Amino acid sequence: MSDREFSGSDELSLPKATVQKIISEIIPSDLTFSRETRDALIECCIEFIMILSTESNDIAEKENKKTIASEHVVQALEVLGFTEYIDPIKEVVHEHKESQKGRERKVGKLESSGMTEEELLKKQEELFGLARSKLHQGSGVA
Amino acid sequence: MKKEVKTRFPVARIKKLMQSDDDIGKVAQATPIVVAKALELFMISLIEESCNQARNTNSKRVAPAHLKQAVMNTDQFDFLQEVVDKYPNPIANDSEDTETTGRRKGRKPKVEE
C-alpha cells in the first residue's frame, strides 16, 4: 500500500474495508449496500470530517489557541447541530484521559520485581535446576 | 435506536485527513480519537436513514438514491447536499402502502448561504 506516496488531499480517503465492516455491523440482514452506495458513503464521511475540522479550527482560533483540542470539537458538534453526539464523545475523552493516567503509572515487570538483573538470573537458574531434577525423577518411574 | 459498532477507524488516517486542509494546524492527541467517534455516530445515522429509505421503496439493495433521499430528509445532513447532488434522484415512491414519510413535507426550499 503506497500510503506514503500520496500527493494532495484527493488521494486521502478512508479505508474501504473498515467502512464495509461498519456497514455490515449496522444494516439489517436482509439489506445490502451496493458498491456505489458505499463509495458515496465514504465521500459523505470525508465531508463530515472536513466540516467538523474546519468548525473546530475556527473555534480554537477564536480562543487564540493554536492546537485543536477535543473541547473545540465538542463545541463544533453543538454548532453543527449534532448535539446528540456530545455525550458519547465526552465519554471517549474521559476514557482517553484515564488511559493516559494509567500509562504513566505503569511500571515494568523488571522494576516491580525488586531484584537486580543478576539476582533474577540466579533465580532463573535455580528454577531451571528444580525443573531438571523433577524431570529426572519423573523418567525413572515405570 | 442506539447502535454500537466494534470496528474502529484508524486514528492516524483521520489526523491526516484533518491536516490535509492547510488551514488546520496542530491537533491535540485526543482530537482525532474524538473525531473518529463522531464519525462513527454519523455513519451509523446515515446508514440507518438510508436503510429506511430503501425499505420505503421496497428495495433489498440500498442505492445511492436512497442515501440522497436520506440526506434530503435530514436537517443535520444539509452539508451533504453538494456531495449527493451527482447521484440520481430518488424515484417517486409508487408503492401502494401506507403514508410515505416526508416525501412531500421533507423537501426544504434551498437556502442560499
Side-chain angles (χ1 to χ4, degrees), chain B residues 10-23:
Chain B
V11 175
R13 185 71 71 92
I14 295 201
K15 185 171 176 208
K16 269 193 199 149
L17 270 164
M18 289 177 79
Q19 294 182 314
S20 69
D21 181 344
D22 288 331
D23 285 341

Side-chain angles (χ1 to χ4, degrees), chain B residues 30-43:
Chain B
T31 302
I33 297 175
V34 161
V35 172
K37 183 69 186 177
L39 179 63
E40 178 190 306
L41 296 168
F42 167 76
M43 273 189 84

Side-chain angles (χ1 to χ4, degrees), chain A residues 13 25 32 37 43 68 100, chain B residues 7 13 29 31 62 86:
Chain A
S13 179
E25 283 193 58
T32 54
T37 314
E43 278 189 65
I68 304 180
Q100 291 297 80
Chain B
T7 315
R13 185 71 71 92
Q29 196 182 45
T31 302
V62 185
K86 59 181 179 250

Side-chain angles (χ1 to χ4, degrees), chain B residues 36-97:
Chain B
K37 183 69 186 177
L39 179 63
E40 178 190 306
L41 296 168
F42 167 76
M43 273 189 84
I44 293 174
S45 182
L46 186 51
I47 291 172
E48 283 185 343
E49 262 311 304
S50 304
C51 286
N52 287 342
Q53 294 309 320
R55 291 235 190 270
N56 275 355
T57 61
N58 290 317
S59 307
K60 290 295 179 187
R61 296 195 90 200
V62 185
H66 297 129
L67 199 137
K68 185 170 182 174
Q69 186 65 68
V71 167
M72 284 158 61
N73 280 3
T74 314
D75 284 352
Q76 270 181 347
F77 299 154
D78 270 354
F79 67 96
L80 294 170
Q81 303 259 6
E82 264 185 61
V83 175
V84 296
D85 201 50
K86 59 181 179 250
Y87 294 107
N89 278 324
I91 307 167
N93 188 2
D94 54 12
S95 63
E96 81 275 3
D97 13 78

